[in-house]
């Protein structure tokens, strides 16, 4: 039995296509557009871990609140370099966080604050 404290996440987005492209490029994972009862959303690949989806909720996009850490293990520099070219911005460039590895605080293509994380600075 897995005992993950966080089991799923929804990321609010204004433009589903733009956000889908951003999350496919920066974290470099599969992102699939889906539809249920006429509602479109995109699911982030979660076969090997916890998952989440991109949900059109333009009035709830925020650069404040909980900071979601996204795994970019072994490619944090590459991921941070892809942020600007995918309509995002880097708020804090890659920096060490003691024994917990490295992070970069970014705004995604929609203006949400999220964090790129890797145990190694590579």
């Amino acid at each position: 039995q897995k005992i993950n404290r966080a089991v799923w996440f929804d990321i609010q987005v204004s433009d589903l296509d733009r956000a889908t492209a951003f999350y496919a490029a920066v974290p470099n994972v599969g992102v699939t557009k889906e539809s249920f009862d006429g509602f479109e959303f995109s699911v982030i690949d979660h076969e090997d871990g916890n998952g989440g989806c991109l949900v059109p909720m333009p009035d709830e996009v925020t650069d404040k609140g909980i900071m979601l850490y996204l795994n970019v293990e072994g490619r944090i520099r590459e991921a941070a370099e892809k942020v600007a070219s995918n309509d995002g911005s880097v708020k804090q460039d890659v920096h060490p966080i003691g024994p917990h590895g490295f992070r970069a605080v970014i705004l995604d293509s929609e203006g949400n604050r999220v964090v790129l994380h890797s145990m190694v600075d590579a």
Side-chain angles (χ1 to χ4, degrees), residues 15-29 31 33 42 54 82 85-87 109-110:
D15 183 316
L16 186 59
D17 290 332
R18 179 179 63 202
T20 298
F22 179 91
Y23 282 91
V26 176
N28 194 31
V29 295
V31 184
K33 275 184 83 174
S42 290
L54 308 174
K82 289 185 173 187
S85 63
N86 285 280
D87 300 315
S109 61
E110 309 307 294

Side-chain angles (χ1 to χ4, degrees), residues 12 58 60-66 107-108 110-114:
Q12 311 91 300
E60 296 185 28
V61 172
T62 184
D63 63 349
K64 297 170 180 56
I66 292 174
L107 295 184
D108 70 5
E110 309 307 294
N112 291 301
R113 179 179 62 177
V114 293

Side-chain angles (χ1 to χ4, degrees), residues 32-51:
T32 308
K33 275 184 83 174
E34 296 188 15
S35 170
F36 181 77
D37 277 350
F39 182 76
E40 282 195 328
F41 55 96
S42 290
V43 177
I44 297 171
D45 179 37
H46 55 282
E47 184 175 319
D48 296 323
N50 293 348

Side-chain angles (χ1 to χ4, degrees), residues 55-105:
V55 183
M57 297 191 303
D59 294 339
E60 296 185 28
V61 172
T62 184
D63 63 349
K64 297 170 180 56
I66 292 174
M67 291 174 58
L68 173 66
Y69 281 59
L70 299 172
N71 182 2
V72 292
E73 188 62 38
R75 52 175 297 278
I76 193 166
R77 298 279 173 181
E78 174 191 335
E81 287 172 12
K82 289 185 173 187
V83 171
S85 63
N86 285 280
D87 300 315
S89 62
V90 176
K91 297 318 242 176
Q92 292 179 12
D93 206 357
V94 176
H95 60 279
I97 50 174
H100 307 290
F102 298 83
R103 76 176 193 176
V105 179

